[in-house]
Amino acid sequence: MKTSVFAPANAHEFIVSVDANDPQMAGTIYHRSLPQGLPFGGIPSLALAVEDVLDSQEGSTPVDPFERGAYSNAQAGQVATFRLDVLFRQHNSWQGRVTWLEEGIETKFRSFLGLVFILNDILADETA
């Protein structure tokens, strides 16, 4: 019988620092379980990095919610910084919320594609 392990409420939370958006989004993601940030170059790279972190946590001991980990060295992006909270991974997609930290604006998304549209809208305004 498989036993369930509850993860802390913020175990699926990432900081996404975007340093460039021309021609594609590039930057660094930070997560509590990572000793340092993971660089990404493009939406597919961002998705794969987040998936790898989330997959590595399944069935493992939850991260201590009070341990700062990589957040202590998370840096604001040169273009924008987001807090990405993946609440669920269902139907081969993500559901959750994203917060644009510079402006304090939080938006919910129902799919990974919805998240991409939100990020693109914000970044188009920032780089215009």
Side-chain angles (χ1 to χ4, degrees), residues 35-101:
Q36 60 190 18
L38 282 176
F40 69 91
I43 296 290
S45 176
L46 170 66
L48 291 173
V50 170
E51 279 290 320
D52 286 346
V53 171
L54 294 174
D55 287 345
S56 71
Q57 290 188 327
E58 286 185 7
S60 65
T61 304
V63 175
D64 181 351
F66 299 107
E67 182 181 320
R68 292 297 297 167
Y71 286 147
S72 60
N73 65 3
Q75 298 180 8
Q78 294 174 4
V79 176
T81 311
F82 302 97
R83 181 176 53 240
L84 173 63
D85 192 4
V86 180
L87 299 175
F88 304 101
R89 293 192 299 164
Q90 299 175 333
H91 310 294
N92 296 319
S93 194
W94 302 345
Q95 298 81 40
R97 59 183 169 246
V98 61
T99 305
W100 182 13
L101 295 178

Side-chain angles (χ1 to χ4, degrees), residues 13-58:
E13 184 179 279
F14 296 82
I15 299 296
V16 180
S17 297
V18 180
D19 295 323
N21 192 40
D22 186 28
Q24 65 181 359
M25 183 191 314
T28 308
I29 65 165
Y30 299 91
H31 184 266
R32 293 177 186 276
S33 68
L34 300 171
Q36 60 190 18
L38 282 176
F40 69 91
I43 296 290
S45 176
L46 170 66
L48 291 173
V50 170
E51 279 290 320
D52 286 346
V53 171
L54 294 174
D55 287 345
S56 71
Q57 290 188 327
E58 286 185 7

